[in-house]
PDB file of all heavy atoms in Angstrom:
ATOM      1  N   GLN A 169     -16.900 -14.678   6.204  1.00  0.00           N
ATOM      2  CA  GLN A 169     -16.593 -13.317   6.626  1.00  0.00           C
ATOM      3  C   GLN A 169     -15.471 -12.788   5.734  1.00  0.00           C
ATOM      4  O   GLN A 169     -14.459 -13.460   5.526  1.00  0.00           O
ATOM      5  CB  GLN A 169     -16.143 -13.292   8.090  1.00  0.00           C
ATOM      6  CG  GLN A 169     -17.202 -13.756   9.080  1.00  0.00           C
ATOM      7  CD  GLN A 169     -18.194 -12.660   9.401  1.00  0.00           C
ATOM      8  OE1 GLN A 169     -18.034 -11.531   8.957  1.00  0.00           O
ATOM      9  NE2 GLN A 169     -19.229 -12.995  10.161  1.00  0.00           N
ATOM     10  N   VAL A 170     -15.659 -11.579   5.198  1.00  0.00           N
ATOM     11  CA  VAL A 170     -14.712 -11.031   4.236  1.00  0.00           C
ATOM     12  C   VAL A 170     -14.251  -9.649   4.689  1.00  0.00           C
ATOM     13  O   VAL A 170     -15.062  -8.827   5.132  1.00  0.00           O
ATOM     14  CB  VAL A 170     -15.348 -10.919   2.828  1.00  0.00           C
ATOM     15  CG1 VAL A 170     -14.362 -10.337   1.827  1.00  0.00           C
ATOM     16  CG2 VAL A 170     -15.842 -12.280   2.359  1.00  0.00           C
ATOM     17  N   VAL A 171     -12.938  -9.411   4.611  1.00  0.00           N
ATOM     18  CA  VAL A 171     -12.369  -8.083   4.853  1.00  0.00           C
ATOM     19  C   VAL A 171     -12.218  -7.391   3.503  1.00  0.00           C
ATOM     20  O   VAL A 171     -11.526  -7.899   2.616  1.00  0.00           O
ATOM     21  CB  VAL A 171     -11.001  -8.169   5.556  1.00  0.00           C
ATOM     22  CG1 VAL A 171     -10.430  -6.770   5.775  1.00  0.00           C
ATOM     23  CG2 VAL A 171     -11.117  -8.892   6.877  1.00  0.00           C
ATOM     24  N   SER A 172     -12.883  -6.258   3.330  1.00  0.00           N
ATOM     25  CA  SER A 172     -12.835  -5.529   2.069  1.00  0.00           C
ATOM     26  C   SER A 172     -12.297  -4.124   2.285  1.00  0.00           C
ATOM     27  O   SER A 172     -12.226  -3.633   3.415  1.00  0.00           O
ATOM     28  CB  SER A 172     -14.232  -5.450   1.436  1.00  0.00           C
ATOM     29  OG  SER A 172     -14.679  -6.731   1.041  1.00  0.00           O
ATOM     30  N   GLY A 173     -11.918  -3.478   1.187  1.00  0.00           N
ATOM     31  CA  GLY A 173     -11.384  -2.121   1.267  1.00  0.00           C
ATOM     32  C   GLY A 173     -11.853  -1.288   0.097  1.00  0.00           C
ATOM     33  O   GLY A 173     -12.427  -1.791  -0.873  1.00  0.00           O
ATOM     34  N   ASN A 174     -11.601  -0.001   0.195  1.00  0.00           N
ATOM     35  CA  ASN A 174     -11.964   0.931  -0.868  1.00  0.00           C
ATOM     36  C   ASN A 174     -10.956   2.068  -0.872  1.00  0.00           C
ATOM     37  O   ASN A 174     -10.744   2.729   0.140  1.00  0.00           O
ATOM     38  CB  ASN A 174     -13.377   1.466  -0.650  1.00  0.00           C
ATOM     39  CG  ASN A 174     -13.791   2.428  -1.751  1.00  0.00           C
ATOM     40  OD1 ASN A 174     -13.600   3.634  -1.636  1.00  0.00           O
ATOM     41  ND2 ASN A 174     -14.360   1.897  -2.816  1.00  0.00           N
ATOM     42  N   CYS A 175     -10.306   2.268  -2.024  1.00  0.00           N
ATOM     43  CA  CYS A 175      -9.342   3.359  -2.176  1.00  0.00           C
ATOM     44  C   CYS A 175     -10.089   4.614  -2.599  1.00  0.00           C
ATOM     45  O   CYS A 175     -10.736   4.628  -3.658  1.00  0.00           O
ATOM     46  CB  CYS A 175      -8.283   2.979  -3.209  1.00  0.00           C
ATOM     47  SG  CYS A 175      -7.060   4.271  -3.519  1.00  0.00           S
ATOM     48  N   THR A 176     -10.025   5.644  -1.786  1.00  0.00           N
ATOM     49  CA  THR A 176     -10.746   6.889  -2.088  1.00  0.00           C
ATOM     50  C   THR A 176      -9.818   7.982  -2.622  1.00  0.00           C
ATOM     51  O   THR A 176     -10.299   8.992  -3.130  1.00  0.00           O
ATOM     52  CB  THR A 176     -11.450   7.413  -0.825  1.00  0.00           C
ATOM     53  OG1 THR A 176     -10.473   7.621   0.213  1.00  0.00           O
ATOM     54  CG2 THR A 176     -12.489   6.421  -0.334  1.00  0.00           C
ATOM     55  N   LEU A 177      -8.515   7.778  -2.497  1.00  0.00           N
ATOM     56  CA  LEU A 177      -7.563   8.780  -2.981  1.00  0.00           C
ATOM     57  C   LEU A 177      -6.288   8.096  -3.438  1.00  0.00           C
ATOM     58  O   LEU A 177      -5.751   7.234  -2.744  1.00  0.00           O
ATOM     59  CB  LEU A 177      -7.241   9.801  -1.885  1.00  0.00           C
ATOM     60  CG  LEU A 177      -6.139  10.824  -2.215  1.00  0.00           C
ATOM     61  CD1 LEU A 177      -6.621  11.801  -3.289  1.00  0.00           C
ATOM     62  CD2 LEU A 177      -5.707  11.597  -0.967  1.00  0.00           C
ATOM     63  N   LEU A 178      -5.819   8.453  -4.615  1.00  0.00           N
ATOM     64  CA  LEU A 178      -4.507   8.037  -5.111  1.00  0.00           C
ATOM     65  C   LEU A 178      -3.997   9.202  -5.938  1.00  0.00           C
ATOM     66  O   LEU A 178      -4.399   9.404  -7.080  1.00  0.00           O
ATOM     67  CB  LEU A 178      -4.605   6.759  -5.945  1.00  0.00           C
ATOM     68  CG  LEU A 178      -3.279   6.175  -6.456  1.00  0.00           C
ATOM     69  CD1 LEU A 178      -2.323   5.896  -5.308  1.00  0.00           C
ATOM     70  CD2 LEU A 178      -3.524   4.916  -7.267  1.00  0.00           C
ATOM     71  N   LYS A 179      -3.123   9.996  -5.331  1.00  0.00           N
ATOM     72  CA  LYS A 179      -2.699  11.257  -5.935  1.00  0.00           C
ATOM     73  C   LYS A 179      -1.184  11.304  -6.081  1.00  0.00           C
ATOM     74  O   LYS A 179      -0.448  10.904  -5.176  1.00  0.00           O
ATOM     75  CB  LYS A 179      -3.174  12.435  -5.079  1.00  0.00           C
ATOM     76  CG  LYS A 179      -2.767  13.799  -5.596  1.00  0.00           C
ATOM     77  CD  LYS A 179      -3.202  14.903  -4.641  1.00  0.00           C
ATOM     78  CE  LYS A 179      -2.728  16.265  -5.097  1.00  0.00           C
ATOM     79  NZ  LYS A 179      -3.066  17.327  -4.123  1.00  0.00           N
ATOM     80  N   PHE A 180      -0.724  11.839  -7.223  1.00  0.00           N
ATOM     81  CA  PHE A 180       0.695  11.964  -7.510  1.00  0.00           C
ATOM     82  C   PHE A 180       1.088  13.443  -7.529  1.00  0.00           C
ATOM     83  O   PHE A 180       0.468  14.240  -8.239  1.00  0.00           O
ATOM     84  CB  PHE A 180       1.030  11.354  -8.876  1.00  0.00           C
ATOM     85  CG  PHE A 180       0.979   9.848  -8.924  1.00  0.00           C
ATOM     86  CD1 PHE A 180      -0.222   9.174  -8.824  1.00  0.00           C
ATOM     87  CD2 PHE A 180       2.146   9.115  -9.071  1.00  0.00           C
ATOM     88  CE1 PHE A 180      -0.279   7.799  -8.877  1.00  0.00           C
ATOM     89  CE2 PHE A 180       2.108   7.730  -9.121  1.00  0.00           C
ATOM     90  CZ  PHE A 180       0.886   7.061  -9.021  1.00  0.00           C
ATOM     91  N   ASP A 181       2.105  13.802  -6.742  1.00  0.00           N
ATOM     92  CA  ASP A 181       2.738  15.116  -6.835  1.00  0.00           C
ATOM     93  C   ASP A 181       4.120  14.919  -7.463  1.00  0.00           C
ATOM     94  O   ASP A 181       4.871  14.040  -7.035  1.00  0.00           O
ATOM     95  CB  ASP A 181       2.888  15.762  -5.458  1.00  0.00           C
ATOM     96  CG  ASP A 181       1.587  16.358  -4.954  1.00  0.00           C
ATOM     97  OD1 ASP A 181       0.617  16.400  -5.740  1.00  0.00           O
ATOM     98  OD2 ASP A 181       1.529  16.768  -3.786  1.00  0.00           O
ATOM     99  N   MET A 182       4.446  15.735  -8.460  1.00  0.00           N
ATOM    100  CA  MET A 182       5.687  15.538  -9.210  1.00  0.00           C
ATOM    101  C   MET A 182       6.542  16.792  -9.240  1.00  0.00           C
ATOM    102  O   MET A 182       6.018  17.912  -9.207  1.00  0.00           O
ATOM    103  CB  MET A 182       5.367  15.135 -10.659  1.00  0.00           C
ATOM    104  CG  MET A 182       4.596  13.849 -10.817  1.00  0.00           C
ATOM    105  SD  MET A 182       4.263  13.502 -12.570  1.00  0.00           S
ATOM    106  CE  MET A 182       3.582  11.850 -12.449  1.00  0.00           C
ATOM    107  N   ASN A 183       7.831  16.595  -9.326  1.00  0.00           N
ATOM    108  CA  ASN A 183       8.766  17.692  -9.589  1.00  0.00           C
ATOM    109  C   ASN A 183       9.909  17.155 -10.445  1.00  0.00           C
ATOM    110  O   ASN A 183      10.296  15.984 -10.328  1.00  0.00           O
ATOM    111  CB  ASN A 183       9.308  18.289  -8.289  1.00  0.00           C
ATOM    112  CG  ASN A 183      10.162  17.308  -7.515  1.00  0.00           C
ATOM    113  OD1 ASN A 183       9.644  16.421  -6.830  1.00  0.00           O
ATOM    114  ND2 ASN A 183      11.481  17.434  -7.600  1.00  0.00           N
ATOM    115  N   LEU A 184      10.437  17.999 -11.330  1.00  0.00           N
ATOM    116  CA  LEU A 184      11.484  17.571 -12.249  1.00  0.00           C
ATOM    117  C   LEU A 184      12.847  17.619 -11.563  1.00  0.00           C
ATOM    118  O   LEU A 184      13.235  18.639 -10.998  1.00  0.00           O
ATOM    119  CB  LEU A 184      11.486  18.474 -13.486  1.00  0.00           C
ATOM    120  CG  LEU A 184      12.476  18.113 -14.592  1.00  0.00           C
ATOM    121  CD1 LEU A 184      12.168  16.733 -15.163  1.00  0.00           C
ATOM    122  CD2 LEU A 184      12.470  19.172 -15.688  1.00  0.00           C
ATOM    123  N   ILE A 185      13.575  16.509 -11.619  1.00  0.00           N
ATOM    124  CA  ILE A 185      14.924  16.439 -11.054  1.00  0.00           C
ATOM    125  C   ILE A 185      15.979  16.662 -12.133  1.00  0.00           C
ATOM    126  O   ILE A 185      16.907  17.452 -11.963  1.00  0.00           O
ATOM    127  CB  ILE A 185      15.145  15.073 -10.353  1.00  0.00           C
ATOM    128  CG1 ILE A 185      14.203  14.936  -9.142  1.00  0.00           C
ATOM    129  CG2 ILE A 185      16.598  14.918  -9.919  1.00  0.00           C
ATOM    130  CD1 ILE A 185      14.297  13.599  -8.447  1.00  0.00           C
ATOM    131  N   SER A 186      15.837  15.979 -13.262  1.00  0.00           N
ATOM    132  CA  SER A 186      16.783  16.157 -14.371  1.00  0.00           C
ATOM    133  C   SER A 186      16.105  15.745 -15.664  1.00  0.00           C
ATOM    134  O   SER A 186      15.147  14.963 -15.662  1.00  0.00           O
ATOM    135  CB  SER A 186      18.058  15.320 -14.152  1.00  0.00           C
ATOM    136  OG  SER A 186      17.749  13.933 -14.160  1.00  0.00           O
ATOM    137  N   THR A 187      16.592  16.262 -16.777  1.00  0.00           N
ATOM    138  CA  THR A 187      16.011  15.928 -18.079  1.00  0.00           C
ATOM    139  C   THR A 187      17.068  15.954 -19.175  1.00  0.00           C
ATOM    140  O   THR A 187      18.010  16.760 -19.122  1.00  0.00           O
ATOM    141  CB  THR A 187      14.872  16.895 -18.439  1.00  0.00           C
ATOM    142  OG1 THR A 187      14.329  16.519 -19.716  1.00  0.00           O
ATOM    143  CG2 THR A 187      15.350  18.331 -18.507  1.00  0.00           C
TER     144      THR A 187
END
Side-chain angles (χ1 to χ4, degrees):
Q169 297 279 355
V170 180
V171 179
S172 293
N174 181 268
C175 178
T176 58
L177 174 69
L178 183 57
K179 179 184 176 184
F180 288 69
D181 282 352
M182 299 179 172
N183 65 281
L184 183 62
I185 295 177
S186 64
T187 181

